[in-house]
Amino acid sequence: MSTLLNIPARAVLPRRSRLGAALRRGLWWGVLSLTGGVERRGRLPRGGCVVVANHSSHADTAALLAALDARHSPAIGAAADYWFASPWRRRICRRLASGFPVRRGGGGMEDLLTMAGELRAGRAVVLFPEGTRAQDGALGSFHRGALVLAEEAGVPVVPVGIAGTDRLLPKHGRLRSALVRVTIGEPLPSAVSPEEARDAVVALHARTVAEPLRDSATRRRIAAVVTSRWGVPLAFCWAFAEALSWPLMPELLLGAVCVAVPRAALKMSLGALAGSLAGGLLALHLASAGVHLPAPLTTDRMRAEVRHELALEGASAVRHQPWNGIPFKVYGAEAGRAGVPALDWLAASATARGSRTLTVGLAFAGFGLLMRRHRRQYGRYLALLGVGFAAGLALIVHGWG
């Protein structure tokens, strides 16, 4: 890499390099969006710079690659004795993080200075001056290497505070869902001292951690119910009632609660599934006994279609329900009138309703994770969900009219 010092500036950052940086940024933005989201405050200055940041997690690299502009083609300084100790780690570090090796046991300064030419060409070099991940969130002392590199290249030092990665992927811990926030500070002169650079990063980190998340009061109220002891019973009762007579499908409830609290999606979906199966089984028994429950927003054509399917396929006819728009309660009632055995009905409806309910719940949870940084817009989302559901229901009823 030392030959890079003599390469013309335009040759160091070709279009291919910027494209690779854009692909890496898109990759890590997507990954962090699925694990809780990523937010950025501030921007890097024009031209090359040395980025110094706090370091408490392996996820810090992903956070910076997702947050920093691709036009700077950021390169990450990585511990040579860990990330370059084996061929597969070396490939991962170079390709997914644009990492370059920095020795920690001697020779590290030489490794850093090989990047001076790329800095002059406009690249951002990202370093963690503590040299290792912090154990308790407190920043350690900063080594001088990053500042010597900045002074050698004549570029500014940019402090960055990262919050949330210690919860997302703790040191020696497991991956969890967490929102990651990156705050980019004002550039510091290349002659800045290690203490001044550390103080700037400490202040940014503290400000980022203390900054309250913008949220919706409606979402908080719904989340309080969902995470209480009433959450799963609510999903069960809603789906149970819909399988008998209630006109609003449990998917509407899942669309509201799984976006509000993505981590509760599985238990709420399972509660709704249990309610659907119990309600469908009761609907079958009541219909076989001659009881006719009210079925709003259903049509005679729906019932005729279900009778035809049951006559041809028996209990397995319910497999069409997730796709044709006919409410589950119509299938349950007509199955009872057709004399479908209860156990056959339960097995077939468990497969059909399970595939739909769990897929819908987990899909809304994924959307909720993607939209976590926009939680303050949850009220508008609920309004759009209601309008969309009403429009879809009207189209279904009209189509089967």
Side-chain angles (χ1 to χ4, degrees):
M1 275 194 184
S2 59
T3 58
L4 290 174
L5 291 170
N6 301 318
I7 296 176
R10 290 185 180 274
V12 178
L13 293 180
R15 182 177 301 177
R16 182 176 178 182
S17 175
R18 296 195 302 271
L19 176 60
L23 292 174
R24 283 188 291 272
R25 186 182 186 197
L27 167 68
W28 292 116
W29 184 91
V31 170
L32 292 177
S33 294
L34 293 174
T35 57
V38 57
E39 290 184 350
R40 183 187 76 174
R41 299 282 188 275
R43 299 180 69 88
L44 292 181
R46 291 186 177 275
C49 60
V50 174
V51 174
V52 293
N54 57 294
H55 192 30
S56 58
S57 166
H58 283 317
D60 293 329
T61 297
L64 290 170
L65 288 170
L68 301 181
D69 297 322
R71 63 186 172 89
H72 284 89
S73 189
I76 310 290
D81 59 325
Y82 182 83
W83 287 109
F84 290 81
S86 65
W88 69 269
R89 281 186 183 174
R90 181 168 60 249
R91 285 193 291 269
I92 290 175
C93 187
R94 287 194 187 278
R95 294 175 184 175
L96 298 186
S98 189
F100 66 92
V102 178
R103 287 169 288 179
R104 292 191 287 191
M109 185 63 71
E110 296 176 13
D111 298 332
L112 291 177
L113 292 178
T114 62
M115 301 300 291
E118 300 199 29
L119 282 167
R120 297 188 192 104
R123 195 168 194 179
V125 172
V126 179
L127 298 170
F128 300 109
E130 295 168 89
T132 187
R133 289 169 292 164
Q135 187 77 33
D136 55 0
L139 269 70
S141 59
F142 276 19
H143 299 295
R144 292 191 54 84
L147 311 180
V148 172
L149 173 61
E151 192 164 14
E152 173 69 20
V155 298
V157 176
V158 180
V160 171
I162 308 172
T165 51
D166 54 344
R167 174 172 172 78
L168 175 68
L169 185 61
K171 189 174 182 179
H172 307 308
R174 295 183 298 176
L175 183 68
R176 295 179 291 182
S177 175
L179 174 65
V180 173
R181 292 182 286 174
V182 176
T183 302
I184 302 172
E186 294 296 322
L188 302 173
S190 57
V192 67
S193 70
E195 292 75 20
E196 290 171 327
R198 180 186 178 279
D199 289 345
V201 172
V202 168
L204 285 170
H205 177 255
R207 190 178 84 192
T208 306
V209 170
E211 183 180 351
L213 294 175
R214 290 173 288 181
D215 203 350
S216 161
T218 303
R219 192 209 68 84
R220 290 198 300 269
R221 293 189 191 100
I222 290 178
V225 174
V226 170
T227 56
S228 72
R229 61 178 180 174
W230 302 108
V232 174
L234 172 63
F236 179 93
C237 292
W238 185 303
F240 182 85
E242 191 272 339
L244 294 172
S245 179
W246 178 246
L248 302 181
M249 296 182 294
E251 287 79 4
L252 176 61
L253 175 69
L254 294 178
V257 302
C258 294
V259 170
V261 193
R263 69 178 184 275
L266 182 59
K267 70 176 184 180
M268 293 296 287
S269 300
L270 290 174
L273 174 59
S276 286
L277 298 180
L281 199 58
L282 180 58
L284 180 142
H285 283 296
L286 291 174
S288 65
V291 177
H292 289 265
L293 295 173
L297 302 180
T298 63
T299 67
D300 290 336
R301 188 179 167 205
M302 289 180 181
R303 287 181 279 274
E305 175 66 20
V306 172
R307 285 195 294 269
H308 175 69
E309 292 175 358
L310 288 168
L312 292 177
E313 304 178 50
S316 62
V318 75
R319 66 188 176 87
H320 301 291
Q321 190 274 326
W323 317 110
N324 60 17
I326 299 176
F328 185 54
K329 55 180 168 282
V330 176
Y331 277 87
E334 294 301 327
R337 296 185 187 106
V340 173
L343 289 180
D344 292 349
W345 169 254
L346 183 61
S349 58
T351 301
R353 291 299 295 167
S355 63
R356 172 167 165 164
T357 304
L358 293 177
T359 299
V360 168
L362 295 178
F364 275 118
F367 180 73
L369 289 173
L370 287 172
M371 298 303 294
R372 187 168 179 176
R373 60 184 295 185
H374 302 295
R375 291 190 301 185
R376 64 187 182 280
Q377 305 294 343
Y378 180 78
R380 294 181 182 179
Y381 162 75
L382 274 189
L384 290 174
L385 178 67
V387 170
F389 178 82
L393 187 58
L395 289 173
I396 291 171
V397 173
H398 177 74
W400 284 102

